[in-house]
Each structure stands twice: as C-alpha cells, then as structure tokens.
Amino acid sequence: MFTGLVKKRHRWRRILQVLRFSSDMIVSSKLFHNYCFLLTGFFFGDPHVVSLDNVKYTFNGLGEFILLNVKDESNTVIFALQGRTIQAGENMTSEATNFVALAAQGPSGTKVQWNLVGDEINVLLDGMAVNVTENSTYINQVTLQTTSNNETVATFEGGTSVTVSGTKGALTFTTFLDNDLKNKTEGLLGVWNDDATDDFKAANGTYLNFDGKKLPSDNDIFFDFGLTWKTTENNTLFTYNSYPGETWYTYNNNSFVPKFYDELLNTTDKEKINKANETCKGNDDCIFDILSTDDFSFGAATLQSITSFGSQNSTMSK
C-alpha cells in the first residue's frame, strides 16, 4: 500500500511539472489520470530535431514526413504524427525548409491538424475547423486547449501529447510520451530506447552508422534517413483543401535538395558569418538558420526556442 502511494505521488509530481512548464495549462483528468508524461521529442527552426533519445540533428526535407509512429505489440500503429514543410523565407525561395502544418492521429482514430497561417495556428478536428481556447475541450478522446503562452495542445488517450506554437512563419512543437511507449517508436524522432546509436533507423529498417557522438553526414541524414520517412498518398493523415484542388501531390512532387551547413559556411562571406555567430552566441542551429534564410530575426527565434526547450527539459527532469 505504501509503495502504491509513493508511485501515485511521484506520478502526480510529474503531472504538476508538465502543468507548470505549460503555463496555466488545465488538462482533462480523463486523460491525465493514468499517464506520467515525459518531455521527449522537439522540432524547431529550419527543421532542427531533438530525438526521443536526445540526439540533435538537422533535416531540411521538403514535403510531408512521418515524424513519429508508435506501434503496439502486433506492429499496428496506435499513434502517428506527421509534418509538412515548405521552403523557408518570405518568398519561400531559401535553401532550407520549415514546418507549417502537423497532423496527428490517436488510437481512437480521431485526427488533429495544425495549420500555420502567418503566426496564427488553425486547428482541424477530423477535417473540421474548431475553435481552441484556454478552457480544455474533450472530444472523441482528445483534449484540445491553448495555453497563456499561445501554444496549442492536443492530448490523446494512450499516453501522447503534442504542444505546438508558431513564430516567424515556422512551427515549433514538442511531444510528450508516457514511459510505457518506450521501445515502440519510429520515424524522424527515432527509436526511443535510451540508446542513441540506433536513432537513425530508416523506414526500410536499415540504420545509419552512428556511435552516439559524431553525427552521420548531412548528406547521409538527408538521403538515407530523412527522405525514407516521406509519407505516401495512402498513409497521409492530412486533410487537403478541395479548393483549389489540393492533394498529397501538391506538397510532395519535388526534388528539392537543401544547402547543407558546410556548404553554407563555405559560400557565405566571413563578415556575415561573424555577425551571425555574434547574434547566435555560437549556436550552430541559429547560425544555420540565419545563413540559410538570410534572416537574422529567424535565427534569433531559433535561439529562443532552444533556450526555452532547455529550460523546460530541465524542469521535467527534476
């Protein structure tokens, strides 16, 4: 009895940490009653990724990609998260991409989609627009709400939650997964098993050579890992606008290859690199975003996202 009480107190301590980090977030007890959420995967800027096993890398694919599949014992996907990217920059002509839409589906089959329009996020529930407020709304086993930090949160049954915000024309988002889902994941967020070396598992089951420290080349990550997780017309979760005739092909018929970080450093004048380094306080992700978009404010937003994530992750680990 005492052991059970300690476990319950620990679980609620974790829940309170999630609530504190999410700033005034009030979540339906129907979903939080049995789950101990942990801060896990993170996407920001010109897609920089922090995997479930805390591997940090950059993937600038263009189109729609499987970010996360959670599978049960019979290898059936019970939760899926997909993301859509476009070319970054005001005229969408930069050498990099950023996320502008997400789609998720939980065990009940209910789909939630986040579309970024400017810096505002429009939410669809099973293809229908919904108004999400700070008062939590529980529909079809999904809780939707916004936070005082202007984040939009969807919490699904089964132990998954996605928190999304938008700034400078790009989505930043964080996943929360219950511990019970460890060893059941795949996608751009990697294989969650506390072993970083197998995080670059491609959709075909092959792995990039990774010792857990020195990342594979940007070229290998892009072609041999990232692109393998592109969605198909059959498995996409996205709702497309019938007018003006959007389909899966609208976003996925391309041969885009970005400029990788080394290329950007070799083709940018030193004065701009030095200025970017000063703005970014030496952070490579921030520098990359400035050089790829030619937008110092975009890089500054990336740096702020990194700082916020670090603070949140520190809070959750206590």
Side-chain angles (χ1 to χ4, degrees):
M1 181 176 178
F2 178 74
T3 301
L5 179 60
V6 170
K7 288 182 177 178
K8 184 173 289 187
R9 289 178 63 186
H10 176 71
R11 173 172 293 163
W12 279 105
R13 178 172 176 264
R14 282 290 191 184
I15 292 172
L16 289 173
Q17 287 173 333
V18 173
L19 297 178
R20 183 170 69 246
F21 133 69
S22 292
S23 299
D24 305 327
M25 188 168 69
I26 303 173
V27 182
S28 169
S29 60
K30 292 181 181 179
L31 291 180
F32 267 109
H33 180 67
N34 292 315
Y35 305 129
C36 174
F37 284 96
L38 301 176
L39 185 63
T40 52
F42 182 51
F43 288 78
F44 59 98
D46 286 343
H48 307 296
V49 185
V50 180
S51 78
L52 299 169
D53 283 331
N54 202 37
V55 175
K56 302 176 180 66
Y57 70 94
T58 296
F59 171 64
N60 267 283
L62 180 64
E64 295 173 352
F65 298 90
I66 295 172
L67 311 181
L68 177 67
N69 282 338
V70 178
K71 293 184 174 181
D72 63 13
E73 291 75 10
S74 62
N75 210 38
T76 300
V77 176
I78 56 174
F79 176 81
L81 176 65
Q82 299 177 1
R84 174 189 297 160
T85 66
I86 61 172
Q87 282 183 257
E90 290 185 6
N91 299 316
M92 294 187 293
T93 58
S94 81
E95 305 289 349
T97 62
N98 56 253
F99 282 102
V100 293
L102 299 173
Q105 184 175 39
S108 68
T110 301
K111 296 179 183 179
V112 178
Q113 182 167 324
W114 297 259
N115 294 325
L116 184 64
V117 181
D119 282 341
E120 297 294 323
I121 296 175
N122 296 334
V123 178
L124 304 180
L125 185 70
D126 287 333
M128 302 295 293
V130 293
N131 182 34
V132 183
T133 69
E134 289 191 9
N135 295 319
S136 61
T137 303
Y138 182 71
I139 307 174
N140 296 339
Q141 300 187 57
V142 176
T143 293
L144 296 172
Q145 65 189 113
T146 59
T147 73
S148 59
N149 286 340
N150 204 30
E151 301 160 321
T152 303
V153 184
T155 306
F156 299 81
E157 81 282 17
T160 54
S161 180
V162 184
T163 299
V164 185
S165 61
T167 183
K168 298 296 295 182
L171 290 178
T172 295
F173 48 101
T174 309
T175 60
F176 295 82
L177 273 73
D178 184 72
N179 259 331
D180 291 342
L181 302 180
K182 192 174 285 188
N183 298 305
K184 298 179 180 179
T185 71
E186 64 180 14
L188 293 184
L189 278 172
V191 179
W192 186 26
N193 59 0
D194 297 326
D195 178 6
T197 63
D198 63 3
D199 267 17
F200 293 107
K201 179 183 178 182
N204 61 10
T206 61
Y207 295 84
L208 297 188
N209 187 26
F210 178 45
D211 63 3
K213 297 179 181 179
K214 182 176 174 55
L215 287 174
S217 70
D218 289 341
N219 187 84
D220 287 348
I221 290 174
F222 183 81
F223 288 104
D224 298 332
F225 170 66
L227 289 185
T228 72
W229 289 108
K230 183 165 262 191
T231 65
T232 67
E233 189 178 12
N234 293 326
N235 69 13
T236 182
L237 298 178
F238 284 97
T239 297
Y240 301 97
N241 292 325
S242 56
Y243 178 83
E246 279 187 354
T247 68
W248 178 85
Y249 292 96
T250 303
Y251 298 98
N252 292 282
N253 184 17
N254 64 80
S255 56
F256 174 81
V257 177
K259 269 192 176 180
F260 301 126
Y261 192 31
D262 286 345
E263 293 179 81
L264 290 169
L265 291 175
N266 291 331
T267 57
T268 304
D269 65 81
K270 289 186 178 180
E271 183 178 351
K272 179 176 285 187
I273 293 175
N274 290 337
K275 186 177 178 182
N277 186 59
E278 182 179 345
T279 298
C280 297
K281 302 177 182 178
N283 181 272
D284 285 326
D285 293 330
C286 172
I287 295 171
F288 176 91
D289 287 359
I290 289 175
L291 300 186
S292 62
T293 64
D294 198 27
D295 185 342
F296 279 78
S297 64
F298 193 95
T302 293
L303 186 62
Q304 179 58 45
S305 294
I306 295 168
T307 301
S308 297
F309 175 73
S311 175
Q312 294 161 3
N313 213 6
S314 176
T315 297
M316 289 297 297
S317 64
K318 292 180 180 179

